[in-house]
Amino acid sequence: MINRRRLLGVSLGAMIFGSGWRPIPVAAEAFEVTHTDAEWQKLLTLDQYAVLREKATEPPESSPLNAENRAGIYVCAGCALSLFSSSTKYDSGEGWPSFWAPLLHAVATQEDHSYGNNRTEVRCRRCGGHLGHVFPDGPKPTGLRYCMNGTAMMFKPGAAI
Ligand code: FE
């Protein structure tokens, strides 16, 4: 006889752990753009995959976008969502492309306690790709420093928003 409580337990277990008892990030299902891990690996370069999907950090001073000072929009390398305008870009001197504000509804943030630090992670709102972190030591008017991996973005020159 099938026990209802047991059925629920099994389905919950499947939802939480999936096949092979590997945890599934619950938040991943909330994003508009989703791909399997294998699909992301085909869609992205090795460096893009490491940053966007594995939260790697590119070496400081390594991104060509550090020196990019034309007007335009920085878009997600994972899903092409517009993330930042050149009008909020500034030189933080830290070695990564920095902005004092994202575009409206562009990013999602969550607390990140990895490596023993209390940081706020910044992710693409649409695909969940890891972009970088935001710190409270930026310039006016927001006082925020969005410290981004250039690898996670592509620059589209044109009119800045
Ligand atoms: Fe994205």
Side-chain angles (χ1 to χ4, degrees):
M1 184 176 167
I2 296 174
N3 179 304
R4 200 168 177 173
R5 180 180 290 260
R6 174 156 171 71
L7 257 185
L8 182 65
V10 168
S11 61
L12 273 179
M15 280 165 59
I16 294 168
F17 296 109
S19 58
W21 300 96
R22 202 174 154 200
I24 297 171
V26 174
E29 293 170 13
F31 293 106
E32 286 173 32
V33 173
T34 58
H35 294 290
T36 65
D37 196 50
E39 287 168 345
W40 278 122
Q41 290 189 43
K42 283 183 188 169
L43 288 167
L44 303 172
T45 66
L46 285 175
D47 287 347
Q48 287 171 339
Y49 180 84
V51 172
L52 286 164
R53 309 314 307 177
E54 298 185 311
K55 305 188 180 186
T57 298
E58 69 191 17
E61 309 293 354
S62 65
S63 173
L65 296 186
N66 279 316
E68 180 59 67
N69 54 20
R70 288 175 290 170
I73 300 297
Y74 295 81
V75 306
C76 177
C79 74
L81 180 67
S82 296
L83 300 174
F84 294 94
S85 165
S86 59
S87 62
T88 63
K89 190 173 188 283
Y90 74 103
D91 183 3
S92 68
E94 300 285 342
W96 292 276
S98 300
F99 305 83
W100 50 259
L103 294 172
L104 206 58
H105 304 309
V107 305
T109 57
Q110 66 181 62
E111 295 311 302
D112 174 7
H113 302 294
S114 62
Y115 304 105
N117 298 312
N118 290 323
R119 297 183 294 176
T120 302
E121 181 192 5
V122 179
R123 303 173 74 178
C124 172
R125 187 265 302 158
R126 189 158 67 180
C127 74
H130 172 80
L131 304 172
H133 292 86
V134 57
F135 301 95
D137 58 5
K140 291 179 179 179
T142 62
L144 297 174
R145 171 170 59 99
Y146 284 82
C147 185
M148 301 292 98
N149 288 279
T151 306
M153 304 184 294
M154 289 186 291
F155 179 66
K156 304 283 186 191
I161 296 173

